[in-house]
Amino acid sequence: MVTLIHSRFSGIMSVSGKMARIFYLDRKTKKVEEEKVYGKFFIECAYGNKFITKPLKKILIPSLTKSHWFSRLYGSIQKMNMSRKKIPTFIEKFQADTSEYLDPVTSFSSFNDFFIRKLKKEARPIAEGEKVAALPADGRYLVFSDISNVDHFYIKGQRLDIDMLLQDEALAKEYKDATVVFARLCPTDYHRFHFPCDCVPSEPKLINGYLHSVNPMALRKNISILSENKRVLTELESKEFGKVLYIEVGAVAVGSIKQTFTPGEAYKKGDEKGYFEFGGSSVLLLFKKGAITLEEDLLSASSEKLEIKANMGESLGKAT
């Protein structure tokens, strides 16, 4: 028996009480696909329905997410030379397209080295037009034209707390009714993130926090994870879209968030901004109300609480 968690199709299903299944819409094929979850045993133990006592969960989740020791340790292991043995199995299991890689698979010295791989330029063409914004990363997307009018994120009644997210009263007032773009990156994704438009970025600001999972099973229990986790905020000054807030959010098993740009320098749409070391993670973009008209397919799927899987460089929307 298959039971929908929400009355409308939400992208998450539970099957006879077993491990929740996650679904997304593939932007290219227009088909709904089931996500292959990396580390699903741990996620189910911590956030799902797998049998584990409540007292043990109360110990497990804080020890792995509220202190960073587990993520640091796991990240260090992924940088060891012996971890490269996992690469072929990973590629086969998740059907990774190695033809996109800039460097041959045999050149990676560790699993983390493979994880932060670069792609050939032609593998991610950038949407053309100076008034067109591009998706900042490979991932699964949810978008909202006005976050103040949204009564759901992954589940009805959950709202993203902008004050808590930004930790800046003045910025929170500016973006209280922002257009929000949320990209969830899985461990199987390309983990470098890019600028969505021509811009001049500010000095990045670290907001320290926990390292909860950003898997939908965790987010549907508590969307505040996005405003509790460790994150980095950069203000982008752009001609076409005004000031855009760019936030990278860390997650469990993410070694670190690395910035590769130089603050104060001008960058083109699609230029690299940085990368996440091993683990799942996410990117948030906040545009001021009325600054951008989002692509209809992104809006339509998000209204159904269904993520769209899309690639960096594809069209996000147009400046209004």
Side-chain angles (χ1 to χ4, degrees):
M1 176 181 176
V2 177
T3 306
L4 278 173
I5 285 173
H6 308 305
S7 59
R8 300 173 79 188
F9 187 65
S10 66
I12 306 174
M13 287 178 160
S14 60
V15 184
S16 304
K18 295 181 181 180
M19 167 84 183
R21 298 164 65 192
I22 301 168
F23 294 86
Y24 60 84
L25 177 66
D26 188 294
R27 194 180 199 185
K28 289 181 179 176
T29 66
K30 311 298 183 188
K31 293 180 180 179
V32 174
E33 305 282 356
E34 182 175 355
E35 183 173 312
K36 293 181 179 180
V37 181
Y38 183 86
K40 67 180 181 179
F41 178 80
F42 161 75
I43 294 168
E44 179 68 5
C45 284
Y47 302 100
N49 299 320
K50 187 171 287 296
F51 177 75
I52 183 171
T53 63
K54 286 185 178 179
L56 187 54
K57 277 194 177 186
K58 287 181 179 179
I59 297 171
L60 176 68
I61 295 176
S63 65
L64 298 185
T65 64
K66 293 187 177 181
S67 66
H68 294 182
W69 69 267
F70 173 77
S71 294
R72 290 195 189 103
L73 175 62
Y74 197 73
S76 296
I77 292 172
Q78 306 315 309
K79 293 179 181 179
M80 293 181 178
N81 187 263
M82 65 179 183
S83 67
R84 65 188 299 182
K85 295 178 181 178
K86 298 196 302 181
I87 297 174
T89 304
F90 184 94
I91 289 173
E92 182 178 358
K93 181 176 181 179
F94 294 100
Q95 299 176 325
D97 185 359
T98 58
S99 68
E100 297 181 335
Y101 300 175
L102 182 63
D103 301 307
V105 173
T106 53
S107 70
F108 300 124
S109 60
S110 66
F111 193 74
N112 186 69
D113 194 28
F114 160 73
F115 186 79
I116 62 172
R117 61 192 175 272
K118 291 186 176 184
L119 301 182
K120 297 172 183 175
K121 192 172 182 178
E122 60 269 24
R124 294 293 181 271
I126 308 302
E128 296 180 353
E130 61 180 26
K131 290 184 177 293
V132 177
L135 298 181
D138 284 13
R140 291 129 186 86
Y141 281 83
L142 287 173
V143 302
F144 305 98
S145 291
D146 183 344
I147 196 65
S148 67
N149 289 331
V150 174
D151 71 345
H152 73 271
F153 209 92
Y154 276 98
I155 191 168
K156 190 172 178 63
Q158 285 197 3
R159 291 193 178 193
L160 185 64
D161 189 325
I162 297 297
D163 293 84
M164 196 173 168
L165 175 72
L166 302 181
Q167 297 289 299
D168 184 308
E169 188 177 345
L171 273 183
K173 284 182 179 179
E174 286 186 66
Y175 292 87
K176 68 182 188 303
D177 51 5
T179 294
V180 174
V181 177
F182 172 61
R184 178 177 65 88
L185 285 70
C186 296
T188 54
D189 291 322
Y190 164 64
H191 260 65
R192 291 179 180 262
F193 44 87
H194 300 251
F195 290 107
C197 56
D198 294 357
C199 63
V200 177
S202 71
E203 189 75 33
K205 174 187 175 184
L206 172 65
I207 304 173
N208 240 323
Y210 303 145
L211 287 175
H212 288 285
S213 170
V214 293
N215 183 279
M217 279 187 286
L219 291 173
R220 70 181 176 86
K221 288 179 180 290
N222 180 20
I223 197 61
S224 294
I225 282 173
L226 296 178
S227 46
E228 292 175 358
N229 274 16
K230 173 184 175 180
R231 53 204 181 279
V232 177
L233 186 154
T234 308
E235 297 179 28
L236 311 182
E237 290 292 347
S238 74
K239 176 186 174 184
E240 299 297 340
F241 300 92
K243 183 167 69 176
V244 181
L245 302 187
Y246 196 125
I247 305 169
E248 297 95 20
V249 183
V252 67
V254 175
S256 58
I257 302 168
K258 298 287 189 181
Q259 304 291 343
T260 56
F261 74 95
T262 302
E265 287 193 4
Y267 286 87
K268 292 291 185 182
K269 175 172 56 178
D271 285 348
E272 184 182 295
K273 184 178 185 290
Y275 60 88
F276 294 103
E277 292 198 325
F278 184 80
S281 35
S282 54
V283 169
L284 282 161
L285 296 180
L286 276 67
F287 295 82
K288 288 186 180 180
K289 186 178 181 180
I292 186 171
T293 300
L294 298 169
E295 294 290 358
E296 184 56 39
D297 64 332
L298 299 175
L299 287 168
S300 178
S302 296
S303 71
E304 298 288 339
K305 309 183 191 74
L306 179 63
E307 296 171 313
I308 281 193
K309 183 181 180 182
N311 288 337
M312 187 282 291
E314 294 177 11
S315 179
L316 168 61
K318 297 177 178 65
T320 47

